Amino acid sequence: VSALGLDPSGARLITGGYDYDVKFWDFAGMDASLQAFRSLQPCECHQIKSLQYSSTGDVILVVSGNSQAKVLDRDGFPVMECIKGDQYIVDMTNTKGHTAMLNSGCWHPKIKEEFLTCSNDGTVRTWDVNNEKKHKSVFKPRSVQGKRVIPTTCTYSRDGKLIAAGCQDGSIQIWDRNMSVHTKFHCRQAHAPGTDTSCLTFSYDGTVLASRGGDDTLKLWDIRQFKKPLNSAERLPSFFPMTDCCFSPDDKILVTGTSVKKGGGSGKLFFFYRETFQKMYEIEVTDASVVRCLWHPKLNQIMVGTGNGLAKVYYDPVKSQRGAKLCVVKTKRKERQAETLTQDYIITPHALPMFREPRQRSTRKQLEKDRLDPMKSHKPEPPVAGPGRGGRVGTHGGTLSSYIVKNIALDKTDDSNPREAILRHAKEAEENPYWVAPAYAKTQPKTVFAEVEPEDDETDKPEWKKRKI
């Protein structure tokens, strides 16, 4: 699970993953079986990198591994798709959109139509939902030498006035939203160069910035004194370019997840005090990496996405509101099989014999009878699922031609010799004659088959008559 998003009211959760699927979960509509009510693949065969509801909760930003971000409405129908830039233009300011894979994206906290994306083409761009033909503005992070550098994550400050990006040279660069040329704040060696800074997030009071580095650290910065971090925690392994960190709703705690190799223990969720950076608590989540974490201020619940495809919700029975508490208490609805198969039996003791129904002994016997009846208990064709779906190739492929090859082309009987083909059935016809032989038993003459002619020996033919091979 590489992306999580909750709408502002906390009624709906969306998850996206490396299997290209985006799933919608409704807390009020789910029961304890926790089934998603909708699943779709908005970006065909691209991993989902980031999902976020806008500040009003009516549209969703989908950032995937291609170069065009998409905006969907609440029910998953497309609203807009960003334009792809011209990849042959060198100056990225002159292209209308991104030309390489996207890394991250988020909505403006105050202006509900504006969002931000960053990409491997070395730019951070802002967009307007109502204008998909061109970006609003472009920010270009630069290295010390002034060369292009790739931003791996981007975010707005809480008031929406600043735009921050974490870059591959280890720097964190912050611009004023209205001034796209020079950075307003800049920290060159925030993290180790060459690593992917996977998350930047501002605190709710807007004074500090937390960064989660690909160099296994979590750091806290005051952007006005940007030379060295206020605090940092180390030995927090991270293998994913979207490993999260987030603040608690009261701004006192900072949370992040850790990654593990397969069979190397369990991924954990670590909680640190914001002031002292002491570890206050840890949760063992599952035996795979913890990729995404999200602490919703209204619900006061923590959503976690893991490397083995789980989305977990942690809640407090007393302090949490709604959310997971709504669906955990609903029991799973079981459908009774008996009701679905048999019809109601109407008792009419004084009916005429021709209208009288035979008296039923019990529903079980009737069910057993219905089971044997091929019309009543015809099993429908199961949906196409399993291997061969969602971009993965099945054992014999999912195409029509492979199906034909599997079913028809395996018929290996060779009918090039008609005599052989007829004589193949001779023994069976002799032993138990059924159709033809009994009818002609008295008048049948002796069968005469032509002898097998030996192949013509071509040695004595003249050269020009010999068959070319």
Side-chain angles (χ1 to χ4, degrees):
V1 177
S2 55
L4 286 175
L6 260 170
D7 69 341
S9 64
R12 272 194 188 173
L13 171 72
I14 41 172
T15 58
Y18 277 21
D19 58 355
Y20 328 128
D21 286 339
V22 171
K23 296 197 173 179
F24 291 71
W25 318 77
D26 191 302
F27 288 123
M30 279 193 293
D31 57 16
S33 62
L34 304 177
Q35 296 294 318
F37 75 88
R38 180 164 297 136
S39 173
L40 46 106
Q41 294 185 350
C43 302
E44 283 87 33
C45 298
H46 292 285
Q47 295 169 355
I48 307 298
K49 299 280 191 80
S50 163
L51 292 169
Q52 196 187 8
Y53 276 93
S54 66
S55 55
T56 51
D58 53 352
V59 281
I60 304 159
L61 173 65
V62 181
V63 174
S64 67
N66 62 359
S67 59
Q68 294 165 277
K70 283 193 175 180
V71 177
L72 310 176
D73 69 2
R74 267 185 84 79
D75 299 313
F77 296 107
V79 175
M80 75 155 302
E81 181 178 27
C82 296
I83 195 166
K84 187 170 170 30
D86 186 339
Q87 54 221 23
Y88 299 106
I89 295 177
V90 178
D91 183 5
M92 281 295 141
T93 319
N94 297 332
T95 65
K96 295 189 169 90
H98 287 295
T99 60
M101 178 179 83
L102 296 173
N103 288 321
S104 176
C106 66
W107 288 99
H108 192 288
K110 299 280 194 288
I111 306 167
K112 65 176 183 150
E113 290 91 15
E114 187 183 306
F115 62 93
L116 179 69
T117 55
C118 68
S119 155
N120 276 1
D121 62 9
T123 61
V124 178
R125 293 172 197 255
T126 57
W127 300 81
D128 191 319
V129 174
N130 305 317
N131 178 20
E132 54 187 45
K133 295 281 185 284
K134 195 177 187 300
H135 58 250
K136 273 174 91 169
S137 55
V138 184
F139 302 86
K140 293 194 277 191
R142 295 280 182 225
S143 65
V144 187
Q145 293 84 23
K147 293 204 169 82
R148 181 167 76 178
V149 61
I150 292 175
T152 54
T153 180
C154 59
T155 187
Y156 281 103
S157 61
R158 295 279 171 184
D159 57 6
K161 289 179 180 168
L162 301 176
I163 286 173
C167 304
Q168 271 185 344
D169 64 347
S171 66
I172 296 175
Q173 310 191 14
I174 302 176
W175 296 267
D176 188 315
R177 181 177 155 271
N178 303 320
M179 314 258 292
S180 63
V181 180
H182 295 296
T183 54
K184 189 169 185 184
F185 304 104
H186 206 119
C187 179
R188 286 279 171 219
Q189 274 94 31
H191 291 282
T195 60
D196 286 1
T197 304
S198 58
C199 180
L200 294 176
T201 179
F202 282 86
S203 61
Y204 283 92
D205 58 16
T207 57
V208 294
L209 171 76
S211 65
R212 178 76 165 95
D215 53 359
D216 304 346
T217 60
L218 173 68
K219 295 186 179 180
L220 200 64
W221 309 85
D222 184 338
I223 54 174
R224 290 161 300 185
Q225 299 154 352
F226 216 174
K227 288 282 177 280
K228 63 178 202 292
L230 295 171
N231 278 311
S232 78
E234 290 172 0
R235 291 199 291 281
L236 300 168
S238 158
F239 306 152
F240 290 88
M242 64 276 293
T243 305
D244 257 342
C245 60
C246 63
F247 285 91
S248 64
D250 63 0
D251 246 358
K252 291 178 181 164
I253 306 166
L254 196 53
V255 190
T256 189
T258 60
S259 303
V260 288
K261 288 198 163 68
K262 202 169 185 181
S266 53
K268 294 178 179 172
L269 210 54
F270 283 98
F271 295 79
F272 297 95
Y273 285 112
R274 174 181 152 181
E275 294 302 321
T276 59
F277 244 61
Q278 283 178 316
K279 189 171 77 177
M280 115 187 221
Y281 194 60
E282 64 180 69
I283 302 175
E284 288 200 3
V285 178
T286 181
D287 56 351
S289 306
V290 177
V291 185
R292 286 284 191 181
C293 58
L294 184 76
W295 195 329
H296 195 269
K298 265 196 184 158
L299 301 182
N300 202 9
Q301 296 174 10
I302 302 171
M303 316 286 156
V304 180
T306 67
N308 56 357
L310 301 176
K312 292 196 167 192
V313 183
Y314 291 96
Y315 69 98
D316 183 303
V318 184
K319 294 180 182 167
S320 292
Q321 309 286 323
R322 299 174 65 79
K325 290 169 74 174
L326 294 176
C327 50
V328 176
V329 293
K330 290 184 189 169
T331 51
K332 297 183 190 178
R333 291 190 294 273
K334 277 191 181 173
E335 286 181 12
R336 281 179 58 199
Q337 241 71 38
E339 292 170 6
T340 55
L341 282 174
T342 57
Q343 282 121 2
D344 292 330
Y345 174 58
I346 302 163
I347 302 167
T348 51
H350 304 299
L352 293 170
M354 60 189 291
F355 298 119
R356 195 174 296 159
E357 289 186 25
R359 234 185 97 233
Q360 282 186 328
R361 299 283 173 267
S362 77
T363 54
R364 201 175 110 251
K365 279 201 176 147
Q366 184 59 34
L367 280 177
E368 282 167 8
K369 261 190 195 165
D370 288 351
R371 261 283 158 258
L372 297 172
D373 182 0
M375 290 305 288
K376 281 189 185 173
S377 66
H378 168 65
K379 186 184 175 191
E381 290 297 314
V384 181
R389 184 182 159 275
R392 296 181 288 276
V393 180
T395 45
H396 52 262
T399 58
L400 176 65
S401 56
S402 65
Y403 172 78
I404 292 171
V405 168
K406 180 170 173 273
N407 286 9
I408 297 161
L410 291 179
D411 184 17
K412 294 258 185 347
T413 50
D414 180 24
D415 287 343
S416 58
N417 189 339
R419 183 171 180 278
E420 294 275 323
I422 294 169
L423 286 178
R424 201 184 310 138
H425 308 289
K427 185 166 180 281
E428 195 187 336
E430 213 172 289
E431 284 170 5
N432 42 359
Y434 186 68
W435 296 110
V436 181
Y440 297 106
K442 293 177 183 171
T443 58
Q444 181 70 8
K446 185 156 178 18
T447 49
V448 179
F449 287 114
E451 293 298 317
V452 179
E453 295 176 12
E455 289 284 321
D456 290 343
D457 201 20
E458 296 191 353
T459 48
D460 53 350
K461 284 189 184 175
E463 197 63 42
W464 58 275
K465 267 195 178 181
K466 280 187 188 173
R467 214 170 22 181
K468 303 275 194 300
I469 293 170

